[in-house]
Amino acid sequence: MNTKPFLDVLTKNFPAKIICLVIAVILYVFYQATLFETRIFPVRLDVQTPEGMSLRAGTQAPKQIQVTVRGKTSQISSITEENFKAHIDTSSHANAGKYDFPIYVESDDRVTLMTPVEIHPYPEHISLEIEDEIVRYIPVSANISGEPAHGYEKRNVSVIPDRMEVIGPRSIIEDINALLTEKIDITDISDNFSSDVAISTINEYLHFKNDTIVSIKVNVAPVETTASFKGIPVIFENLPPDVNMKDVTYNVDVGVRGAMLVLEKLKASSFIASADCSSAVVPGEKFDVPVIIFAPENVRVVSQSRKTVNIEILQEGAVQTGDLIWEPYED
């Protein structure tokens, strides 16, 4: 076979033919490029840790990553970020420490059936620190603010349940002394108070086995205090009708205890100081008689300046006028 005519045809105007071929290739590439499109989607990133391990406190993976998808424009124009899932699996390392973990991207069937398609996450790896996860029962503390109404006080606060089972990284769990509830305002209350509130000591590293709602009960009672009242006159009572005593005046100071709101309304005249003279019947003799303090209801006497007073019984038939005592004349 004579190949010379073929070679002559092939090499004739060869530079022009090469230029045309290059132009054709470029046009083909540009044409194919018009058939393909690149899109970038923000995709939520989940971190999967095996049981007994968790991310170390202060270590955070990004909430989202970028997923780049390249494919035919006619195919990828209808997909969204909902067609993708991204996650990190830390189960490849069983010991605590800092490691580089690859990011895995999964697509649903709609994307999988597209041909051709390229999917790339950005970034492709993330450095995370993992540590042991522990379980601990931690006390719950009520976050009380404000003060009860005037004359009342907070006696005690109960929390049910008073402790909760919490799971989380060792570095966090071991540093928590108590779980604090949401704030409870008891300003100006005068009765017992109860409410259901949530735990406020919650972050992404902690997991609660049960509900995070607790019942708070605040017991409120009147404030008890002491007060003193001075100059209460002693009243002499039960002196026999045929017996006279020397005029004398005594006053008593008393200390009492009771509810603040009650004591604030009292004055010295609210009390009675009584001296029982029924046993003082011998003329010319002096007697120490007990002084009893009568206080209003729910008020307790805790001290008194005089527990007895001294009285003198006059001679039979003697009378007193002012400071003078007139005794009967005996011949």
Side-chain angles (χ1 to χ4, degrees):
M1 179 179 178
N2 190 356
T3 59
K4 186 177 179 180
F6 175 77
L7 292 174
D8 291 340
V9 173
L10 181 63
T11 57
K12 186 178 181 180
N13 298 323
F14 186 75
K17 290 179 179 179
I18 292 298
I19 292 172
C20 291
L21 179 61
V22 171
I23 292 174
V25 171
I26 292 174
L27 291 175
Y28 176 79
V29 170
F30 273 101
Y31 173 73
Q32 291 296 319
T34 61
L35 300 179
F36 285 81
E37 181 182 356
T38 299
R39 299 185 65 187
I40 299 176
F41 300 97
V43 177
R44 174 183 170 183
L45 179 63
D46 293 323
V47 178
Q48 301 173 358
T49 56
E51 184 176 356
M53 299 294 291
S54 67
L55 293 180
R56 183 173 177 82
T59 299
Q60 288 186 334
K63 301 295 183 183
Q64 292 181 335
I65 63 166
Q66 292 182 348
V67 174
T68 302
V69 182
R70 178 171 174 78
K72 291 182 178 180
T73 302
S74 59
Q75 292 180 333
I76 70 172
S77 60
S78 61
I79 64 176
T80 67
E81 61 268 17
E82 299 297 330
N83 299 109
F84 302 94
K85 292 182 180 179
H87 74 274
I88 294 174
D89 186 0
T90 65
S91 61
S92 57
H93 297 277
N95 298 321
K98 191 173 184 178
Y99 307 96
D100 283 336
F101 296 98
I103 296 178
Y104 300 97
V105 177
E106 299 176 359
S107 57
D108 58 17
D109 293 340
R110 184 174 185 177
V111 178
T112 304
L113 294 175
M114 294 180 181
T115 304
V117 65
E118 297 178 5
I119 302 173
H120 301 284
Y122 180 81
E124 296 183 350
H125 296 80
I126 291 180
S127 179
L128 297 175
E129 191 170 1
I130 58 176
E131 66 174 321
D132 296 340
E133 193 174 64
I134 63 173
V135 180
R136 182 179 164 215
Y137 284 90
I138 302 178
V140 179
S141 178
N143 184 9
I144 305 295
S145 67
E147 294 295 335
H150 174 71
Y152 292 87
E153 64 181 349
K154 176 183 63 181
R155 286 289 175 87
N156 66 293
V157 178
S158 62
V159 183
I160 302 175
D162 61 352
R163 57 186 57 234
M164 285 192 167
E165 185 177 1
V166 186
I167 306 169
R170 180 183 299 275
S171 59
I172 289 184
I173 296 295
E174 290 183 343
D175 286 342
I176 298 177
N177 296 321
L179 300 171
L180 202 62
T181 68
E182 293 179 344
K183 186 176 293 186
I184 302 170
D185 189 4
I186 62 169
T187 300
D188 291 336
I189 67 171
S190 57
D191 292 313
N192 292 338
F193 175 85
S194 62
S195 179
D196 292 337
V197 295
I199 298 295
S200 64
T201 313
I202 296 178
N203 60 49
E204 59 181 308
Y205 300 106
L206 302 182
H207 307 283
F208 291 78
K209 187 172 182 180
N210 300 311
D211 193 4
T212 57
I213 302 297
V214 297
S215 296
I216 305 294
K217 293 184 179 179
V218 181
N219 290 332
V220 175
V223 175
E224 281 214 353
T225 187
T226 57
S228 60
F229 297 88
K230 300 180 180 298
I232 302 171
V234 176
I235 300 173
F236 299 98
E237 298 182 312
N238 301 323
L239 191 67
D242 56 345
V243 174
N244 294 322
M245 60 172 284
K246 183 178 180 179
D247 289 343
V248 65
T249 300
Y250 290 105
N251 291 320
V252 180
D253 300 334
V254 299
V256 297
R257 183 173 183 82
M260 177 188 293
L261 294 178
V262 173
L263 298 186
E264 288 177 344
K265 298 177 181 179
L266 300 181
K267 48 190 177 180
S269 59
S270 303
F271 300 85
I272 297 175
S274 173
D276 184 4
C277 302
S278 60
S279 61
V281 295
V282 180
E285 296 291 332
K286 294 182 179 180
F287 298 88
D288 288 327
V289 296
V291 176
I292 300 175
I293 306 297
F294 293 92
E297 186 178 4
N298 297 324
V299 176
R300 304 189 307 276
V301 177
V302 296
S303 66
Q304 60 188 80
S305 60
R306 295 178 181 273
K307 293 190 176 181
T308 63
V309 291
N310 185 265
I311 64 173
E312 181 179 352
I313 303 301
L314 298 179
Q315 293 288 346
E316 186 175 351
V319 295
Q320 182 172 353
T321 304
D323 294 334
L324 298 177
I325 298 176
W326 303 88
E327 295 183 354
Y329 175 75
E330 293 183 3
D331 189 1

